[in-house]
Amino acid sequence: MRGSRRFAWTLATPSLVGLVLVSLVPFLWMTWTAFHTFSPNPTIPPRFSGLDNLWALFADPQYLQSIRVTLIVLVVSLVLKLSLGFALAWALYHIRRGRALVISLLLIPAAIAPLIAGLVWWMLFNTKFGAVNAILLGLFGIEPIQWTVSMPWALIAIIVATVWQSVPFVAVILLGGLTTIPLEVLDASKVDGASRWRELRFIVLPLMRPFFLVASLFMIIDLLRLFEMPQFLTSGGPGNETVVQGMYLFKLGFTFFDLGRASMMSLIYILVLTAIGLIFVRLMRSRSAEA
């Protein structure tokens, strides 16, 4: 037994060392940096500033604006992803033949890198040669819309692109939940004369709550770290109207070279994501206990 444990630790040690080097060490460095102020002059050493970087962030109108934009994208996109994802999962659930092929095709958007997806959607939304404006003009006679350079169209374009890329992934998660519902329960509801709507509302949706929680957690984490899609779709424009948190963090660190505020913003990110994760784990445990 001891020999097997020693062998297991021997195999796991390189991975654990690598994990510490790529996660714990940068985290400690970021935490130290968050409480220091750095001078543009590299010859001047960093100065301990306490919570000054935190107060500077909350006094920064652009930071507060990025929070507002991120929350708008988060709420609207999350609702659309869950609703459209469940509708797609419900449709896939009733496909008996060829479901695997359909799922494989639907997962193509989720497999595309966000950078490439952002460039593709920029071309689709382009005012001069974009397919979206061409379709709107040809079918409905709507004049070309400045999708990526005017509000609220730029924000709508970001939401559409993020929803398009994530809905298939959400659908697969929810489809997995649908397949766990006992067929005997659904058959019993049909025998009792329950309509399709009542079956969906009173049986399917309550049993799907844990899977909605899992999908929501994945999507919230994905949306809070959103960067590539809006960066290449609108570049934060018009002005700074579509600058989300990820884009502003990049600007602080690599455009303004304000390492102190960028690290403090990253630390806030980690704390918020940790709190959200703990809340969702608690909710999932409570649902499991009720079941």
Side-chain angles (χ1 to χ4, degrees):
M1 181 65 71
R2 290 183 178 178
S4 61
R5 286 184 177 178
R6 188 180 298 112
F7 180 68
W9 276 107
T10 301
L11 294 178
T13 298
S15 298
L16 293 175
V17 172
L19 183 63
V20 169
L21 292 176
V22 302
S23 60
L24 183 59
V25 173
F27 174 76
L28 294 176
W29 169 255
M30 179 198 67
T31 304
W32 182 86
T33 307
F35 296 95
H36 287 75
T37 300
F38 291 77
S39 172
N41 186 351
T43 61
I44 300 177
R47 177 180 59 84
F48 178 76
S49 57
L51 296 176
D52 288 352
N53 290 321
L54 179 64
W55 308 138
L57 278 176
F58 286 107
D60 184 356
Q62 182 57 63
Y63 175 69
L64 300 179
Q65 167 72 4
S66 69
I67 293 178
R68 185 181 71 85
V69 174
T70 303
L71 289 177
I72 292 174
V73 174
L74 173 64
V75 173
V76 177
S77 297
L78 185 62
V79 171
L80 291 174
K81 289 179 180 182
L82 292 178
S83 56
L84 294 176
F86 180 73
L88 183 57
W90 187 248
L92 291 172
Y93 179 71
H94 292 88
I95 295 177
R96 300 304 177 190
R97 301 182 62 180
R99 181 193 296 174
L101 177 60
V102 175
I103 293 175
S104 300
L105 295 175
L106 287 174
L107 284 176
I108 291 176
I112 298 175
L115 185 150
I116 302 301
L119 291 174
V120 171
W121 277 102
W122 176 83
M123 289 188 288
L124 291 174
F125 281 119
N126 189 276
T127 305
K128 295 182 178 179
F129 56 80
V132 175
N133 276 338
I135 293 173
L136 292 177
L137 181 62
L139 295 180
F140 307 103
I142 298 176
E143 292 299 319
I145 298 173
Q146 302 283 340
W147 286 102
T148 60
V149 293
S150 63
M151 288 291 288
W153 306 113
L155 203 56
I156 293 174
I158 293 173
I159 293 172
V160 169
T162 55
V163 170
W164 168 82
Q165 187 164 41
S166 300
V167 162
F169 180 70
V170 174
V172 170
I173 294 176
L174 298 182
L175 178 61
L178 288 173
T179 57
T180 63
I181 299 176
L183 294 177
E184 295 81 5
V185 176
L186 299 178
D187 293 337
S189 67
K190 294 176 182 177
V191 172
D192 292 338
S195 63
R196 181 61 63 89
W197 166 247
R198 294 178 66 86
E199 173 187 299
L200 180 65
R201 180 181 177 186
F202 295 105
I203 298 177
V204 175
L205 289 179
L207 293 175
M208 287 290 294
R209 286 175 184 172
F211 297 92
F212 274 107
L213 289 173
V214 171
S216 299
L217 179 59
F218 278 120
M219 291 302 102
I220 288 174
I221 294 174
D222 186 60
L223 288 166
L224 285 178
R225 65 179 184 83
L226 191 64
F227 171 74
E228 296 96 334
M229 192 76 75
Q231 175 67 31
F232 289 94
L233 190 56
T234 67
S235 299
N240 292 315
E241 293 293 324
T242 58
V243 173
V244 294
Q245 287 270 281
M247 295 175 64
Y248 192 59
L249 177 59
F250 182 85
K251 284 186 176 182
L252 281 178
F254 299 100
T255 302
F256 305 143
F257 296 103
D258 193 338
L259 300 182
R261 281 201 299 163
S263 296
M264 181 61 72
M265 188 174 173
S266 300
L267 188 59
I268 295 173
Y269 243 114
I270 292 175
L271 294 176
V272 170
L273 289 175
T274 301
I276 292 173
L278 292 174
I279 291 172
F280 272 82
V281 169
R282 188 179 183 87
L283 288 174
M284 284 185 279
R285 285 181 176 175
S286 65
R287 294 298 180 186
S288 300
E290 291 176 2

